[in-house]
Amino acid sequence: MRRRHVFRWPTARLLRLLIICAIVSLALVGGSIPLLKTLDNALMNWRFAAAPRNASGSIVYLAIDRETLDALGTWPWPRSIYADIIEKLSQGGVGDIFIDIDFSTPSTGSEDARLADALANAGASAILPVFNQHLSADAGSTTVVTQPLPALRENAWLAFANVSLDDDGTVRRFTLGDLLDGQPTQSAAAVLAKTHSASGSHLIDYSINPASVPTISLSRILHPDFEIAKLKNRSIVIGAYATELKDIFPVPVYGQLPGPILHVLAAESILQDRLLQEFDQRPVQLAFAAAVIAAALGMRAFQTTVPFLSAAAVLAIGETIAFMAQKDHALVVHTATSCTVLLLGLVLMFNEKVDFTQFLAELAGAEQRNIRRLLRKIVTDSTDAVLAFDHHLKIFEESDSAKFMLASGQSGNRGKLLAEVVSAPIYDLVVSLAAEHSKKPGVVRSSSSRFSISVDGAVKHLDATITISPVERPEEGTASRNVSFIGSLVIRDVTTRQIYEERLQYLSSFDALTGLMNRRTFAESLGTFDRPVHVAAVGLHRFSVLNAAMGRDTGDKLLQAVAERLLAHPSIASAGRLGGDVFAVAIPQSQEFFQKDCAELVLGVFDAPFQFEQRTMHIDARVGMYTAVDTCETDFWLERAEHALDDAKTIAGAGWQPYNPDVALRQHRSRELEQAMRDSFNTNEFFLLYQPQVALGTGLLNGAEALLRWKHPEFGLVSPATFIPVAEANGFICDLGRWALRHACIEASRWPDNLAVAVNVAPVQLIRADLVADVKNALAESGLPAARLHLEITESAFVEHTTAIQGALSDLRAMGVRIALDDFGTGYSSLSYLAGFPLDTLKIDQTFVKKMASDQQSSAIVQTIVSLAKGLGLSLVAEGIESRTEWQMLASLGCEDGQGYFFGKPLSPDDLLALTAELPWLRAA
Ligand code: C2E
Ligand code: MG
Ligand code: MG
């Protein structure tokens, strides 16, 4: 068994020792730690800046600035200029003149001599700079002293003018002097300050504000008007100021200053008795450290604020003392080390007070407790019931929802055994998982199951998921660890989902409105019957009309009532709703039930009127029968019964039809054609041709018949004889006819005023469509006078709905539209309707015309028709005139008008228009 490494915090005592050691070491070496040094410098700078003071004014800086360089125009200057300056200053009675310029290299002899003379004659003492510098750039090369030319140094005082940078890259210190050729020689600052000392390094007092040093541009001195007397008795420093002369150094507090000013500030530090003193602070720091340690150890009994406030007070006092010492006594006190000692003292005190070890351990413990509390909260608040159990199958944790879901009351199940709480199947599952675990430990195992319980009389459906997770637990009394497990049982209430699923299941199999099986389920149920079985598709006649008239609610109730009746019938074995107003029933064949009997039985269901909501309603049905003997898919049985129903729908009134494969095929084709027609209608594949009609007496064009054409991209030119009957059967002719009417009227409005247009109207249009409105719209849109529109109807129109048709025709005639009876002689033999119907013209069918010349009987029929028309006061049009003979015969019989290939085949609109314009006479006799 692998032991886990446990991290242990160092003991409080060890920590105390470490901190004390750190404090003591710091007190001894803190001053040399770069970070603390930087901090000390920063504090010293802050004190300089906080208590500024002015320069004494006894040293004047004559600056070689930009203005001076511009005035003299050349650099380096001829030495005679320095000579002039020295002479002028001497005349003015100035004190010392320090020229901070390197004269170590010779210029011209005369110039050097001129400067040497000036130096010699100077009333005041001239000081020239010497520099300590390395011979070469190599590290460790020997140091040499750069001096002015011998002729110059003989006539002047020499002073060191070195400026050196401190560790932090700024100029902090200056020296009082150095050795020149073995002789102690003062620095420029020492000479200017007239001190006697020539050795030692000191801090420059940067509290002296460089801006307060009297500074004059050298160019002004050179000016003849300058009152040199102003400088009387003052020491003079001449040196570079202009940036391009590169005598600029970084300094604390002020950023950058020119080298000559640094000499002045250094001299001022001496003059003002501000040679800043530093001292070895270590003994004081050690004493302070001891005090801090003592205080920290002694303060463990205090509240935390006391040591913190004490430390802050000590800090403030310390800093104030250091500030006053530097400001008033030129004594520099470094406080960074002491501050750090104080800080460590606080850490020591804190360690004593709270025992860091314990504190950190407690921190870690609190985190663990927090995690445990969070996990517990997650479990408690879970909407799923969660039970956590140990290897004894004893519950040690549970969610609030578990109490409710398992109906265990507020006391809950903690401490109970799982067996007391969950149902047997779940418990068995847990036991079997636990057994698997003991056989092969160390693997996570999980299993799910759905079960139902009864709570307060209501059934609850629950999904349970059991997980067994291996854990290591210490074996009592030994150091080794045992592989055991903890388990969780998560129970989700899926009652709502289950109900929903059941509902979905129901809806996918049954019709929600009637409760009957839907198409799929009914088709499946057919498979359970012994063959032969009769399948009847039952369509409610005119249900959609009824639905629209009575409202959907009544329609729904009627459908429910039909379903009830079908189900209640003792001979109907099963019933379903195929959709809309179509039902289906199955009746097994028996001695008394052959196909016909079954059909009549189903039709008989509708004999009695339906009664609901104090309403009595009668509805007819049409039935399609298919008797299944084959082993086809039951879907096909249904389809065939539906084909038969389609067939039955073509007959008038209630009735039934058996399945007929030929009819089905026709229906299929016509359905295909119907779909193609509807598609073509939207893509403008229909067009009209116009066949000329002439006055037979004169051969003069007097109109044209509009004939519909359909050019399908795949089927080619489809004959109206093929598509018109299909369009009539499915009612599509109403749309098509309206379209033809509109276009024919628009076209005819372009023709001369004496020409009429004849438009064919299908019988359905008279019954279903509002033909009167369609005609009105077409005339209004085209502007065609009603008298120039002839409508051709066929005899079949008169078989049904006589009154409605009569009304429509009368309205049309009242508008001025002329009505022609097309294909006269081929339809129904009864002539009675001729008198009753409002007609203007008879169109003699082409079959008689064609045979007229050869066949006596046909000729006789034509003669009879002519006299019949005359008798009824109707005009006549003969169709199908193909020869001059036919024309002449018809003309001599007194037939007024005619059309046929002899006068012209159906023409495109443009061709007909051309004909009306160019050739009013057709086939003149
Ligand atoms: P219909 O109204 O009797 O039209 C006359 C038919 O006879 C047309 O055939 C025409 O092309 C054809 N015809 C005319 N003169 C001669 C001839 O000298 N010899 C021969 N052999 N035939 C001739 P089409 O265009 O094939 O039309 C057939 C039928 O389709 C029409 O008979 C009409 O009942 C129907 N139809 C055509 N267009 C429409 C329409 O727009 N609406 C309706 N409802 N039916 C239409
Ligand atoms: Mg016609
Ligand atoms: Mg005809």
Side-chain angles (χ1 to χ4, degrees):
M1 198 67 53
R2 213 148 50 96
R3 272 177 178 281
R4 266 204 298 160
H5 175 75
V6 180
F7 174 78
R8 291 196 186 286
W9 297 102
T11 60
R13 214 184 291 169
L14 181 65
L15 211 59
R16 178 197 298 158
L17 199 66
L18 285 175
I19 300 169
I20 290 173
C21 284
I23 291 175
V24 173
S25 319
L26 203 66
L28 289 172
V29 298
S32 53
I33 296 173
L35 182 71
L36 295 181
K37 251 180 160 175
T38 309
L39 193 63
D40 274 329
N41 281 341
L43 284 166
M44 183 162 59
N45 294 351
W46 172 78
R47 287 174 208 134
F48 282 143
R53 60 186 74 230
N54 287 331
S56 65
S58 62
I59 305 173
V60 179
Y61 172 32
L62 300 186
I64 304 175
D65 52 7
R66 183 71 251 167
E67 198 183 321
T68 314
L69 292 178
D70 288 346
L72 295 172
T74 158
W75 184 265
W77 292 336
R79 293 201 169 148
S80 53
I81 291 182
Y82 294 107
D84 291 347
I85 295 166
I86 293 167
E87 279 168 3
K88 188 157 186 183
L89 290 171
S90 297
Q91 284 161 16
V94 300
D96 294 334
I97 307 169
F98 171 51
I99 308 175
D100 192 9
I101 301 287
D102 180 10
F103 292 123
S104 59
T105 47
S107 78
T108 61
S110 61
E111 287 289 320
D112 288 344
R114 170 86 177 86
L115 178 58
D117 280 353
L119 290 170
N121 299 332
S125 51
I127 307 156
L128 294 184
V130 294
F131 305 96
N132 255 331
Q133 62 178 317
H134 287 282
L135 197 56
S136 79
D138 296 342
S141 68
T142 50
T143 329
V144 292
V145 179
T146 307
Q147 299 192 40
L149 296 172
L152 302 179
R153 67 175 181 251
E154 278 166 18
N155 296 305
W157 292 95
L158 297 180
F160 277 98
N162 281 81
V163 174
S164 53
L165 300 180
D166 220 46
D167 289 349
D168 65 350
T170 61
V171 180
R172 288 196 168 272
R173 301 181 157 270
F174 70 99
T175 52
L176 287 174
D178 208 340
L179 289 178
L180 176 62
D181 299 333
Q183 290 298 313
T185 305
Q186 285 188 308
S187 67
V191 175
L192 288 168
K194 297 188 173 46
T195 180
H196 298 295
S197 181
S199 68
S201 157
H202 292 275
L203 288 162
I204 299 175
D205 182 8
Y206 279 109
S207 63
I208 301 169
N209 188 352
S212 66
V213 173
T215 303
I216 303 167
S217 168
L218 194 59
S219 60
R220 288 179 49 212
I221 305 289
L222 291 171
H223 201 276
D225 292 347
F226 184 78
E227 282 180 53
I228 202 75
K230 276 202 265 179
L231 302 180
K232 196 173 167 68
N233 293 333
R234 302 223 218 165
S235 295
I236 304 292
V237 173
I238 299 172
Y241 183 91
T243 318
E244 56 265 55
L245 299 181
K246 298 193 173 62
D247 198 9
I248 303 265
F249 297 90
V251 296
V253 189
Y254 307 103
Q256 289 188 321
L257 289 176
I261 273 285
L262 292 179
H263 297 302
V264 177
L265 289 182
E268 286 281 350
S269 301
I270 305 168
L271 280 174
Q272 296 195 29
D273 206 8
R274 292 285 302 163
L275 282 180
L276 296 167
Q277 299 299 316
E278 290 170 293
F279 65 100
D280 183 1
Q281 287 185 211
R282 278 175 301 179
V284 183
Q285 280 168 189
L286 260 179
F288 181 67
V292 165
I293 291 167
L297 297 178
M299 274 193 180
R300 59 185 122 194
F302 289 86
Q303 273 189 343
T304 324
T305 43
V306 177
F308 273 106
L309 288 176
S310 315
V314 171
L315 203 72
I317 293 166
E319 273 312 314
T320 312
I321 291 171
F323 176 70
M324 300 307 285
Q326 187 172 318
K327 173 173 166 277
D328 296 335
H329 305 287
L331 186 66
V332 178
V333 183
H334 296 302
T335 51
T337 302
S338 302
C339 285
T340 318
V341 163
L342 199 60
L343 214 66
L344 277 176
L346 282 177
V347 176
L348 179 64
M349 185 275 306
F350 195 58
N351 178 51
E352 292 303 311
K353 202 168 165 56
V354 299
D355 186 350
F356 257 126
T357 318
Q358 203 188 331
F359 174 71
L360 294 173
E362 267 173 19
L363 217 61
E367 198 174 313
Q368 269 185 8
R369 276 198 302 282
N370 257 345
I371 292 171
R372 217 175 294 148
R373 203 176 305 140
L374 276 178
L375 287 176
R376 197 164 192 176
K377 190 158 174 52
I378 290 169
V379 170
T380 311
D381 295 350
S382 166
T383 47
D384 291 341
V386 180
L387 295 177
F389 52 87
D390 62 12
H391 59 296
H392 297 302
L393 306 190
K394 195 177 192 183
I395 297 163
F396 64 85
E397 198 66 80
E398 74 171 333
S399 64
D400 287 344
S401 51
K403 298 174 198 163
F404 165 73
M405 219 183 278
L406 299 168
S408 40
Q410 271 312 307
S411 58
N413 301 303
R414 276 202 194 104
K416 287 187 190 167
L417 284 170
L418 214 52
E420 303 168 38
V421 177
V422 299
S423 63
I426 299 295
Y427 183 72
D428 292 347
L429 206 58
V430 174
V431 170
S432 80
L433 279 182
E436 274 179 44
H437 177 269
S438 57
K439 264 189 236 154
K440 196 181 169 196
V443 186
V444 177
R445 288 187 167 74
S446 170
S447 183
S448 298
S449 167
R450 182 170 289 190
F451 65 104
S452 304
I453 56 167
S454 174
V455 180
D456 301 334
V459 177
K460 272 190 181 184
H461 303 282
L462 306 174
D463 263 356
T465 304
I466 301 147
T467 309
I468 297 276
S469 312
V471 288
E472 284 181 8
R473 58 177 78 245
E475 207 168 89
E476 271 167 44
T478 68
S480 62
R481 299 168 81 82
N482 231 340
V483 181
S484 175
F485 71 81
I486 53 163
S488 70
L489 169 60
V490 180
I491 302 172
R492 176 166 292 186
D493 187 342
V494 290
T495 311
T496 323
R497 200 171 80 194
Q498 173 104 355
I499 291 170
Y500 181 68
E501 280 171 5
E502 281 168 5
R503 176 83 187 138
L504 268 186
Q505 176 72 27
Y506 174 80
L507 287 179
S508 71
S509 308
F510 293 89
D511 171 44
L513 179 69
T514 60
L516 293 184
M517 282 179 264
N518 64 12
R519 170 185 286 276
R520 186 176 52 78
T521 319
F522 181 75
E524 280 168 12
S525 82
L526 289 179
T528 60
F529 292 103
D530 292 332
R531 285 178 299 275
V533 59
H534 303 291
V535 182
V538 187
L540 305 186
H541 186 39
R542 291 168 58 78
F543 175 76
S544 53
V545 179
L546 212 135
N547 206 25
M550 309 287 240
R552 277 191 74 90
D553 283 354
T554 312
D556 286 353
K557 294 212 170 80
L558 181 63
L559 291 171
Q560 285 166 338
V562 170
E564 268 172 40
R565 256 193 216 183
L566 291 173
L567 273 182
H569 198 287
S571 304
I572 293 177
S574 94
R577 183 175 173 211
L578 304 186
D581 56 359
V582 180
F583 295 85
V585 296
I587 305 168
Q589 177 156 305
S590 64
Q591 284 301 324
E592 65 231 86
F593 285 124
F594 287 95
Q595 194 179 56
K596 182 168 174 291
D597 311 305
C598 291
E600 280 165 3
L601 178 153
V602 176
L603 285 170
V605 167
F606 296 88
D607 285 348
F610 290 87
Q611 278 180 323
F612 50 85
E613 288 180 348
Q614 288 109 38
R615 225 186 262 247
T616 305
M617 220 175 267
H618 194 281
I619 191 148
D620 277 336
R622 275 129 167 211
V623 177
M625 295 296 303
Y626 178 68
T627 302
V629 283
D630 52 81
T631 53
C632 266
E633 295 275 325
T634 50
D635 290 344
F636 289 124
W637 300 354
L638 256 190
E639 256 178 41
R640 286 171 188 177
E642 283 177 292
H643 283 147
L645 175 62
D646 286 344
D647 197 12
K649 280 181 181 171
T650 60
I651 52 175
W656 71 279
Q657 285 289 325
Y659 171 70
N660 178 338
D662 295 339
V663 173
L665 188 66
R666 238 186 8 252
Q667 280 172 349
H668 178 71
R669 291 228 177 103
S670 108
R671 262 196 291 274
E672 268 186 352
L673 206 63
E674 178 189 339
Q675 189 51 50
M677 243 187 299
R678 287 186 194 278
D679 296 344
S680 296
F681 191 57
N682 297 325
T683 50
N684 299 324
E685 286 166 13
F686 287 98
F687 59 97
L688 289 170
L689 294 184
Y690 298 88
Q691 186 173 35
Q693 290 183 334
V694 297
L696 292 181
T698 58
L700 211 59
L701 181 70
N702 63 1
E705 181 182 0
L707 293 162
L708 200 53
R709 294 287 177 268
W710 178 20
K711 188 161 190 205
H712 188 267
E714 206 179 305
F715 311 149
L717 206 57
V718 186
S719 158
T722 310
F723 73 81
I724 297 271
V726 175
E728 283 182 355
N730 61 37
F732 182 55
I733 194 71
C734 294
D735 293 331
L736 211 50
R738 190 178 303 118
W739 179 88
L741 187 67
R742 184 171 162 260
H743 281 260
C745 289
I746 292 171
E747 193 55 40
S749 68
R750 299 162 70 202
W751 302 343
D753 291 345
N754 60 327
L755 300 190
V757 66
V759 181
N760 293 287
V761 172
V764 221
Q765 277 176 273
L766 283 162
I767 303 158
R768 283 212 215 157
D770 188 353
L771 185 67
V772 179
D774 289 349
V775 168
K776 267 187 195 159
N777 290 340
L779 291 177
E781 192 188 346
S782 62
L784 187 76
R788 289 176 58 198
L789 176 64
H790 299 181
L791 296 180
E792 298 188 3
I793 55 170
T794 50
E795 293 169 88
S796 62
F798 304 136
V799 176
E800 259 193 293
H801 310 284
T802 351
T803 339
I805 291 175
Q806 261 177 330
L809 293 182
S810 301
D811 289 351
L812 290 166
R813 282 188 80 212
M815 285 162 59
V817 176
R818 291 174 66 89
I819 311 291
L821 188 60
D822 208 352
D823 304 340
F824 185 71
T826 56
Y828 297 84
S829 47
S830 165
L831 294 178
S832 60
Y833 56 79
L834 273 184
F837 273 90
L839 296 172
D840 298 287
T841 311
L842 290 187
K843 274 189 95 173
I844 308 172
D845 192 72
Q846 50 183 295
T847 45
F848 307 115
V849 176
K850 260 181 219 149
K851 294 188 216 155
M852 226 170 91
S854 53
D855 176 22
Q856 270 288 295
Q857 274 184 333
S858 292
S859 170
I861 292 175
V862 174
Q863 279 180 34
T864 316
I865 296 175
V866 172
S867 48
L868 179 76
K870 299 257 184 263
L872 291 168
L874 303 172
S875 65
L876 274 167
V877 181
E879 6 176 27
I881 303 171
E882 291 188 353
S883 67
R884 186 177 293 273
T885 323
E886 286 159 9
W887 170 21
Q888 282 171 349
M889 283 178 77
L890 285 161
S892 62
L893 280 172
C895 180
E896 291 100 339
D897 299 312
Q899 72 184 84
Y901 294 168
F902 181 72
F903 299 106
K905 292 204 167 181
L907 302 171
S908 74
D910 287 346
D911 288 348
L912 189 93
L913 198 66
L915 193 70
T916 61
E918 290 164 15
L919 191 66
W921 294 88
L922 284 174
R923 304 270 177 183

